[in-house]
Amino acid sequence: MSNKYPNPHANKIFTALLQYYKGHGTALRFSTTFQLLCAVILSAQTNDNQVNKITDKLFAVASDSAALAAMSLEQIEELIKTCGLYKNKARHLQQAARIINEQYGGEVPQTREELETLPGVGRKTASVVLFVGFNIPALPVDTHVLRVANRLALADSSTPAGTEKQLCAQLAPELWGDIHHALIWHGRTICLGRKPQCAKCFLRQDCPFVV
DNA sequence: ATCCCGAGGG
DNA sequence: CCCTCTGGAT
């Protein structure tokens, strides 16, 4: 265990993050894996609160892939308009719903390869569905994870793929998803993009970034 | 003005 | 590698 993950700095930070954000999962509201997939597709370049406002209404009208596949593009666009990038997202939702309905019997596929063939589903979205939906080890890397991991010297990559590889190599797979959520919450509440709240950060004594 | 749990296309 | 898509909150 300790010789597999020998970086004392990283181990200390990971432990502190996991403890501090224990129990903080996703803020997205959903009741099925299909709904989770839709919520994550909608979450690009907006915040979870905006997504929840939309999905509360969307899932009331279309709770599964069959119902969503039956909606017109215009209907979907109208419902999701307030989250931005809505034309792409509406098309992705409709097409993904059709594929899941027709090729997967209405059930979201459980492999990364299958998930990433769905329109609107890239590596990050697939990782979220794998971990949150199916409890399969994955470490989704978004802008928060990339920024916070670099500031804390847990990674030094400029790309999500690089950051994911570096983080995964330093953590047991059963912790990948939890550290993802911890880094997300840290990035949202303390380690903000423009104005990091270093004065109130519990990691400042071990953080090389501190401003 | 800047940011928000990105993906697809050129 | 770059660009585009996009409304709402702060």
Side-chain angles (χ1 to χ4, degrees):
Chain A
M1 195 67 157
S2 55
N3 56 349
K4 192 168 183 182
Y5 305 108
N7 183 336
H9 168 75
N11 291 338
K12 185 175 182 182
I13 299 284
F14 286 138
T15 301
L17 280 167
L18 291 170
Q19 173 61 33
Y20 192 87
Y21 296 103
K22 192 179 176 69
H24 290 233
T26 181
L28 296 171
R29 283 198 290 272
F30 61 94
S31 56
T32 67
T33 309
F34 176 73
Q35 292 182 2
L36 167 66
L37 173 66
C38 292
V40 181
I41 289 174
L42 288 168
S43 71
Q45 292 302 108
T46 188
N47 58 55
D48 290 349
N49 190 40
Q50 294 299 109
V51 174
N52 286 332
K53 286 188 209 169
I54 288 168
T55 52
D56 285 348
K57 293 186 292 182
L58 179 66
F59 298 154
V61 178
S63 65
D64 59 20
S65 63
L68 186 55
M71 289 178 70
S72 72
L73 202 54
E74 292 72 23
Q75 286 177 302
I76 299 174
E77 286 181 356
E78 192 55 39
L79 272 170
I80 73 168
K81 210 158 194 171
T82 56
C83 74
L85 311 182
Y86 70 95
K87 289 188 178 180
N88 286 340
K89 290 176 183 177
R91 188 159 30 82
H92 292 155
L93 284 179
Q94 189 192 50
Q95 291 177 358
R98 286 177 177 171
I99 293 170
I100 289 169
N101 197 41
E102 293 164 12
Q103 297 180 26
Y104 295 99
E107 299 297 323
V108 178
Q110 302 196 26
T111 69
R112 176 181 299 285
E113 291 70 29
E114 290 172 306
L115 285 167
E116 290 188 8
T117 66
L118 297 171
V121 181
R123 186 171 182 87
K124 181 256 168 178
T125 299
S127 292
V128 174
V129 172
L130 287 173
F131 173 63
V132 179
F134 300 120
N135 202 28
I136 294 169
L139 205 167
V141 175
D142 56 35
T143 55
H144 290 307
V145 173
L146 180 63
R147 178 184 72 251
V148 176
N150 279 342
R151 285 180 177 171
L152 287 167
L154 300 170
D156 62 354
S157 172
S158 60
T159 67
T163 300
E164 178 181 339
K165 190 173 181 180
Q166 292 175 351
L167 290 178
C168 286
Q170 302 177 78
L171 274 168
E174 57 267 29
L175 296 177
W176 290 352
D178 292 334
I179 206 67
H180 156 72
H181 280 134
L183 289 168
I184 291 273
W185 282 103
H186 197 58
R188 279 189 190 166
T189 57
I190 297 176
C191 198
L192 310 181
R194 278 302 175 106
K195 297 180 178 177
Q197 312 294 107
C198 298
K200 51 174 92 166
C201 182
F202 62 97
L203 295 171
R204 69 183 175 285
Q205 292 179 333
D206 299 294
C207 181
F209 183 74
V210 182
V211 290

